[in-house]
Amino acid sequence: MSTPAPPTLTVADYPLSTNRPELLRTPTGKPVTALTMDAVVSGELTAEDLRIAPETLELQAQLADASGRPQLAANFRRAAEMTAIPDAEVLSMYNALRPRASTAAQLTAMADRLESTYSAPVSAALVREAAEVYGRRRLLADDEPEDAATAATSPDAVTPAVAADETTPGSPS
Amino acid sequence: MTAVAPRPTEQARRSLRTEALEARPVNLDGFVEEWPEKGLVAMESDFDPQPSVRVADGVITELDGRARADFDFMDSFIADHAIDVATTEASMALPSVQIARMLIDPGVSRAEVIAVTRGLTPAKVLDVVKLMNVVEIMQGMQKMRARRTPANQAHSTSARDNPLQVAVDAAEGALRGFAELETTLGVVRYAPLVAIALQVGGQVGRGGVLTQCALEEATELELGMRGITAYAETISIYGTESVFVDGDDTPWSKTFLASAYASRGIKMRFTSGTGSEVQMGNAEGRSMLYLEIRCILMAKGAGVQGLQNGSISCIGVPGAVPGGIRAVAAENLVASMMDLECASGNDQSFSHSAMRRTARMLPQLLPGTDFVCSGYSAVPNSDNMFAGSNFDTDDYDDWNTIQRDLQVDGGLRHVREPEVLAVRAKAARVLQALFEHLELPRITDEEVEAATYANSSNDYPFRDVLADLTGAQQVMDRGVTGLDLVRGLEATGFHDVAENLLTVLRQRVSGDLLQTAAVLTADFTPLSAINDANDYAGPGTGYRLQGERWEELKKLRHVTSATDPETEVD
């Protein structure tokens, strides 16, 4: 994208939808003013057009910083990274972070994938921190050497532990 | 087991007064003695830790008497994400009484208080609010709530999961003033139809109302991603590690989830409340309020904009112990003094006593909170699938009268019957047309007529539940999105409703509703703690119920004309 570096906003720019609409674009590159009923009816718009763009989350992060809310800003910056991750994978990553859902190796693989595939270093750091704390608090899935080895190499490694958990109860296996 | 107390041979004679008192509804409520060792104590426990903090090399190495090596995951998360390491030692050095006084001193601004509170540990926060009586807690809330203008939230559900009922009651609720509407299900598979009904019905009542459907975390997120709901709230967090794990989550999974919502432009708040840990059997010997303060700090650390608290579905627990409702008011205050949006409870059914139900909500209604109820039942309680609310549709006129008596804004208003009937009829017709357009199970004219005049789900014709469930599954299988709803509304001639919904969906692109305590006004202006920051600084400042809004709230169902005592004013 050839978008210029975002400006530094102040609280007076809020709400962006009324005060700075020119800064707002959809992830598909359309200006927010293109989101009209005509465009909906003609089928020109898809659900993809009604998503937030990472650049917009960065603008909202600036507003959160400017209003003294650093944690909220950090949340928006993780969110900006996560806009690139498909819905289903976001859900499976969330499930993989549940207690005893993943081995240390699986969480490491997930962090690596966040960093390498999605350029999401802030989110990856959160996952690595989780892996460290889960290890100390015994909240990792039991390490089974085979699984761990697969997890470290497979990009799909973020899902299996949870999928197994959810089908196990009551099943005859 | 063998020792049986001797029974009196003759029943002692009781006074008629005692019999009258025994018959009072309040005596159907449950009350228990405190049991601090098990955490069955509101906020005054010898088993809570003493405040302390130590910092070394920019890292908190001791928190409330516990060394870093011994931190459980709540301590770790709070130390590393919630507490401002740079200011914590200075903040913690302030005497608790000084911080408590700052909270109620109109000469100290909200921002000055927050500059201190961002450095406090859970035990220190508890030490501060323990000094405050309930009036001081309210004074604190008046200044510390994030948004200047208070608001209210409703539940719109149906005992039969009838989407039509949910739609029309959502429309009426929105018309009466609720800024947010929440639904949930008896039969979870009904969710897609009911969530659509809520979303569409809400926009008929008042454009800009935000809706949510309370479900298991992953499903709730999926409906949000599709644009069928506008925000989420049922993201539960807990104050002990063991109960958090029992809830199948951790602070890190919930933090990831918070970012996931924001990454789709969806407003979200967490939910917690006093009593949940002891109810779930592992309070680790801490008081209810201490554990709730840990939840609040965890939420702040996660960077989520707000929190629903005030015991919520565990209200029976603090409600049963001495000082419990004071503790509930205190937990709302703590959420606000941590600079979070607070949707302040007055939610699940709490007491058989009307007097007690009213007293329970005064600490939120009088100072005003971001959402006074985080579920006022906009359906009769028999239809409330959140196990009933502290207030329901039967209480609308009482609520409006209390607002008028005390000149306080609880977010609602009286609406004349013709207007109510008009939006109910319209919401029913809109949903009828939309279901037909989406090839979902038919809504008959007979149902539309019933919905217009109904009170409860019993007043509607039965629906074909199997057909509805099949339709609900189709909504998921076909990947119906909010945009499909807009298209359907436009195609069926309900342009205004389509436009309202599109405007709500468009808000996601701007992210304005992600900021703290954001709501949409009737003209679709985002109103949050940024552009509607609470500026209370003593008498004559902050939000005042006056002008046009006050004129609106002077209206009730029956008000006698001053000029002609034989007539009532409209």
Side-chain angles (χ1 to χ4, degrees):
Chain A
M1 299 276 285
S2 60
T3 37
T8 302
L9 300 181
T10 70
V11 291
D13 292 306
Y14 183 91
L16 300 181
S17 52
T18 46
N19 292 349
R20 301 298 300 274
E22 76 281 4
L23 297 178
L24 301 173
R25 292 195 166 262
T26 69
T28 49
K30 296 189 174 89
V32 72
T33 47
L35 303 176
T36 62
M37 188 61 75
D38 286 346
V40 173
V41 172
S42 70
E44 220 173 286
L45 293 186
T46 66
E48 197 60 25
D49 293 305
L50 286 174
R51 287 182 171 235
I52 192 164
E55 295 81 5
T56 307
L57 282 158
E58 172 55 30
L59 297 177
Q60 293 293 353
Q62 288 178 17
L63 291 175
D65 275 331
S67 45
R69 300 187 173 102
Q71 288 99 341
L72 186 61
N75 181 31
F76 294 160
R77 293 196 168 104
R78 281 190 300 269
E81 294 180 344
M82 288 165 64
T83 55
I85 311 174
D87 290 358
E89 191 170 358
V90 167
L91 284 169
S92 72
M93 285 180 165
Y94 161 60
N95 281 325
L97 277 168
R98 294 188 192 248
R100 302 191 183 97
S102 302
T103 62
Q106 285 170 326
L107 289 178
T108 303
M110 177 171 149
D112 291 347
R113 181 167 166 78
L114 280 166
E115 211 154 40
S116 57
T117 308
Y118 296 115
S119 310
V122 189
S123 305
L126 184 79
V127 173
R128 290 206 176 92
E129 182 187 317
E132 186 271 310
V133 177
Y134 292 7
R136 188 164 54 77
R137 303 302 296 172
R138 308 184 61 81
L139 293 170
L140 293 167
D142 289 336
D143 282 84
E144 287 173 12
E146 256 187 62
D147 285 358
T150 324
T153 52
S154 161
D156 299 327
V158 290
T159 52
V162 171
D165 271 5
E166 288 185 348
T167 50
T168 304
S171 77
S173 68
Chain B
M1 293 296 285
T2 53
V4 175
R7 292 182 64 125
T9 48
E10 197 177 312
Q11 189 75 37
R13 183 175 172 185
R14 306 192 89 175
S15 84
L16 296 174
R17 172 89 28 91
T18 300
E19 281 178 11
L21 288 171
E22 281 286 359
R24 296 281 289 183
V26 74
N27 284 312
L28 294 170
D29 291 356
F31 302 101
V32 294
E33 271 189 310
E34 291 154 307
W35 188 5
E37 292 85 344
K38 290 286 171 192
L40 192 60
V41 60
M43 59 193 284
E44 314 266 358
S45 170
D46 293 339
F47 298 93
D48 283 334
Q50 291 301 308
S52 76
V53 79
R54 267 179 217 279
V55 176
D57 301 327
V59 172
I60 292 178
T61 57
E62 179 190 307
L63 184 71
D64 293 341
R66 197 177 271 175
R68 192 170 176 93
D70 302 323
F71 280 0
D72 65 18
F73 74 28
M74 292 301 283
D75 299 319
S76 293
F77 193 86
I78 290 167
D80 292 346
H81 295 275
I83 297 173
D84 181 28
V85 180
T87 58
T88 184
E89 286 170 308
S91 291
M92 291 292 286
L94 294 175
S96 295
V97 69
Q98 186 180 335
I99 302 170
R101 284 179 179 166
M102 289 174 74
L103 279 162
I104 63 164
D105 181 350
V108 179
S109 72
R110 182 177 189 275
E112 289 170 284
V113 176
I114 283 171
V116 170
T117 57
R118 64 163 46 108
L120 300 182
T121 67
K124 182 72 168 186
V125 173
L126 179 66
D127 205 47
V128 170
V129 294
K130 265 167 43 173
L131 294 164
M132 302 172 77
N133 65 30
V134 73
V135 175
E136 290 155 352
I137 289 168
M138 283 193 268
Q139 270 182 276
M141 177 55 91
Q142 177 162 246
K143 178 167 77 183
M144 297 312 296
R145 93 167 165 268
R147 192 189 331 102
R148 185 175 191 265
T149 311
N152 211 336
Q153 184 203 98
H155 293 158
S156 185
T157 58
S158 165
R160 292 190 200 153
D161 294 320
N162 184 339
L164 186 61
Q165 180 187 8
V166 170
V168 295
D169 280 326
E172 179 177 339
L175 180 70
R176 288 178 178 274
F178 293 108
E180 288 185 348
L181 302 169
E182 175 184 25
T183 195
T184 195
L185 287 304
V187 176
V188 173
R189 284 186 296 153
Y190 246 115
L193 292 192
V194 168
I196 288 173
L198 184 77
Q199 176 77 295
V200 170
Q203 297 310 315
V204 173
R206 194 212 87 184
V209 164
L210 305 179
T211 67
Q212 61 146 328
C213 182
L215 295 166
E216 189 278 324
E217 273 83 352
T219 321
E220 189 162 333
L221 176 58
E222 187 177 357
L223 283 178
M225 283 171 166
R226 285 165 176 254
I228 292 176
T229 53
Y231 77 102
E233 168 180 272
T234 322
I235 319 295
S236 301
I237 58 171
Y238 303 97
T240 64
E241 183 178 288
S242 48
V243 173
F244 219 128
V245 169
D246 279 350
D248 202 20
D249 267 300
T250 73
W252 289 266
S253 66
K254 283 284 150 89
T255 299
F256 189 89
L257 191 60
S259 304
Y261 273 100
S263 75
R264 268 59 184 172
I266 305 169
K267 170 176 178 168
M268 194 264 250
R269 68 174 73 92
F270 285 165
T271 291
S272 61
T274 46
S276 64
E277 297 83 7
V278 65
Q279 183 159 306
M280 286 174 75
N282 217 334
E284 298 175 1
R286 308 301 198 199
S287 73
M288 297 180 206
L289 186 59
Y290 173 72
L291 295 181
E292 175 55 20
I293 291 169
R294 294 177 103 200
C295 291
I296 296 164
L297 285 176
M298 187 258 130
K300 184 179 175 70
V304 68
Q305 63 83 30
L307 185 66
Q308 167 183 235
N309 79 354
S311 197
I312 314 301
S313 53
C314 300
I315 187 68
V317 182
V321 298
I325 299 306
R326 170 181 166 235
V328 170
E331 72 184 85
N332 296 146
L333 171 61
V334 174
S336 296
M337 66 195 247
M338 289 299 151
D339 200 20
L340 299 173
E341 171 195 64
C342 178
S344 61
N346 290 303
D347 192 316
Q348 194 167 95
S349 297
F350 148 75
S351 172
H352 296 83
S353 157
M355 192 184 282
R356 206 167 165 237
R357 288 192 289 122
T358 308
R360 184 256 170 276
M361 65 78 167
L362 291 175
Q364 293 76 40
L365 176 72
L366 299 186
T369 69
D370 297 313
F371 297 90
V372 176
C373 301
S374 51
Y376 183 121
S377 187
V379 290
N381 261 340
S382 55
D383 276 310
N384 190 302
M385 301 312 285
F386 293 98
S389 171
N390 197 38
F391 299 99
D392 78 352
T393 46
D394 284 358
D395 301 311
Y396 274 148
D397 289 356
D398 294 79
W399 184 278
N400 291 333
T401 306
I402 291 169
Q403 292 184 133
R404 184 182 188 266
D405 287 343
L406 297 174
Q407 201 169 346
V408 294
D409 193 339
L412 301 191
R413 61 178 181 138
H414 175 65
V415 185
R416 292 165 58 249
E417 189 182 22
E419 286 176 71
V420 171
L421 294 180
V423 300
R424 290 181 70 91
K426 182 173 175 184
R429 285 199 312 275
V430 169
L431 198 68
Q432 182 186 41
L434 184 65
F435 270 30
E436 192 180 344
H437 181 85
L438 294 173
E439 294 172 359
L440 295 172
R442 201 161 82 91
I443 294 170
T444 64
D445 289 342
E446 186 198 356
E447 288 180 272
V448 169
E449 174 79 4
T452 306
Y453 296 97
N455 183 39
S456 80
S457 57
N458 292 327
D459 307 324
Y460 293 72
F462 281 101
R463 285 187 62 77
D464 180 343
V465 173
L466 286 179
D468 272 354
L469 293 177
T470 306
Q473 189 55 47
Q474 282 170 5
V475 168
M476 299 312 277
D477 294 346
R478 279 157 32 195
V480 172
T481 67
L483 207 54
D484 295 319
L485 305 183
V486 173
R487 251 183 229 118
L489 292 165
E490 183 72 14
T492 52
F494 293 103
H495 174 74
D496 57 336
V497 186
E499 198 67 64
N500 286 353
L501 182 53
L502 178 60
T503 311
V504 169
L505 291 174
R506 201 189 283 133
Q507 276 300 327
R508 288 180 181 210
V509 177
S510 74
D512 285 334
L513 294 179
L514 301 177
Q515 296 290 351
T516 303
V519 290
L520 273 182
T521 65
D523 64 355
F524 298 97
T525 306
L527 208 60
S528 78
I530 297 183
N531 62 338
D532 190 39
N534 188 2
D535 57 356
Y536 179 82
T541 68
Y543 181 82
R544 297 277 148 179
L545 177 50
Q546 56 198 14
E548 204 179 315
R549 176 70 179 155
W550 175 222
E551 292 309 312
E552 190 173 56
L553 294 202
K554 288 178 181 174
K555 293 178 182 163
L556 296 175
R557 191 173 301 279
H558 300 291
V559 175
T560 303
S561 162
T563 51
D564 179 3
E566 297 301 311
T567 64
E568 289 182 352
V569 292
D570 267 346

